[in-house]
Amino acid sequence: EAGVAQSPRYKIIEKRQSVAFWCNPISGHATLYWYQQILGQGPKLLIQFQNNGVVDDSQLPKDRFSAERLKGVDSTLKIQPAKLEDSAMYLCASSLDGAGTYYGYTFGSGTRLTVV
Amino acid sequence: GQNIDQPTEMTATEGAIVQINCTYQTSGFNGLFWYQQHAGEAPTFLSYNVLDGLEEKGRFSSFLSRSKGYSYLLLKELQMKDSASYLCAVKTTSGTYKYIFGTGTRLKVLA
């Protein structure tokens, strides 16, 4: 089966600019996650979708970050305006259900964002 | 609160055995995962434990003790390609499923 697709792979922007990341989960996976991973740290959950509804966005900085999941499939994560501390890897993951079951879930290849 | 602890960095020699420990304090425990992450890449699934005991999968084994809030990942016959970060993640349920990741252990395998 095809994996989780993410784009772009890399992005460099200046502070105060906006940026958007795209994710296409594995077909049939109801749950989609966006994680932020700062260099040297573990992934931190930003937002979790179940189909096209938000399940958890408690750690999403809502003054600058937004995310949507269109028709319960693709998802976009936006940052506007970006700050230097947003420099990180942004990982998308999907699972069949919220449980992630035995296999955990599958991560995409990530987007490496550098804010200068 | 929810907390996961792992050593920051470990070094071992090619061909040796290394044990990476993980301790956790979470509510609604529903399983523990280990992921491998090479620099600049996404994490990949290694193992899953939900019951106490040892799960063996080739060169990698993972152990869980729920009463002690403790797990370890055991890597045998180390190879240079095993140099990576190893992430411990706990699945919790508090109305909804959630995964909490540790900060990862960076393993360096030396020739």
Side-chain angles (χ1 to χ4, degrees):
Chain A
E1 73 185 351
V4 177
Q6 282 190 252
S7 67
R9 189 77 171 89
Y10 303 95
K11 190 75 178 178
I12 301 175
I13 61 171
E14 294 183 350
K15 60 183 179 184
R16 291 188 289 274
Q17 284 187 323
S18 62
V19 64
F21 313 127
W22 173 82
C23 173
N24 181 240
I26 292 174
S27 178
H29 279 197
T31 309
L32 186 147
Y33 312 77
W34 282 103
Y35 283 86
Q36 179 193 58
Q37 187 176 22
I38 293 171
L39 194 64
Q41 299 182 18
K44 182 182 88 171
L45 179 69
L46 292 176
I47 189 166
Q48 177 180 340
F49 291 95
Q50 182 82 13
N51 295 308
N52 57 350
V54 175
V55 172
D56 184 350
D57 63 356
S58 56
Q59 297 194 91
L60 186 73
K62 298 180 185 63
D63 57 334
R64 298 185 301 106
F65 285 65
S66 65
E68 61 179 3
R69 189 177 185 195
L70 305 172
K71 299 180 182 178
V73 183
D74 291 10
S75 177
T76 55
L77 176 71
K78 296 179 182 177
I79 308 175
Q80 183 179 12
K83 293 185 175 181
L84 295 176
E85 59 260 36
D86 298 332
S87 294
M89 173 83 87
Y90 289 85
L91 294 162
C92 178
S94 71
S95 66
L96 269 175
D97 55 25
T101 327
Y102 183 85
Y103 297 102
Y105 40 54
T106 305
F107 284 92
S109 55
T111 297
R112 167 70 66 190
L113 173 68
T114 302
V115 182
V116 297
Chain B
Q2 318 268 40
N3 193 50
I4 299 177
D5 286 316
Q6 303 179 236
T8 303
E9 201 168 291
M10 298 181 72
T11 303
T13 306
E14 197 174 14
I17 299 173
V18 71
Q19 178 175 313
I20 302 174
N21 296 325
C22 171
T23 57
Y24 63 89
Q25 294 168 314
T26 62
S27 56
F29 178 84
N30 205 264
L32 187 143
F33 294 82
W34 283 95
Y35 286 84
Q36 181 190 60
Q37 186 175 28
H38 284 100
E41 297 181 12
T44 54
F45 169 80
L46 285 178
S47 69
Y48 171 64
N49 296 71
V50 67
L51 299 177
D52 290 352
L54 189 68
E55 293 281 341
E56 297 188 77
K57 195 185 288 187
R59 294 190 299 116
F60 293 5
S61 303
S62 56
F63 171 83
L64 175 67
S65 169
R66 289 172 296 171
S67 62
K68 295 181 180 178
Y70 169 69
S71 173
Y72 68 72
L73 180 69
L74 193 71
L75 292 79
K76 303 175 188 174
E77 301 169 15
L78 278 174
Q79 301 175 9
M80 299 298 287
K81 66 179 181 179
D82 298 329
S83 293
S85 285
Y86 291 86
L87 299 165
C88 173
V90 172
K91 185 173 75 173
T92 66
T93 55
S94 300
T96 183
Y97 291 102
K98 192 181 292 188
Y99 292 78
I100 303 167
F101 283 83
T103 55
T105 298
R106 193 163 56 249
L107 173 67
K108 293 181 186 176
V109 180
L110 306 176

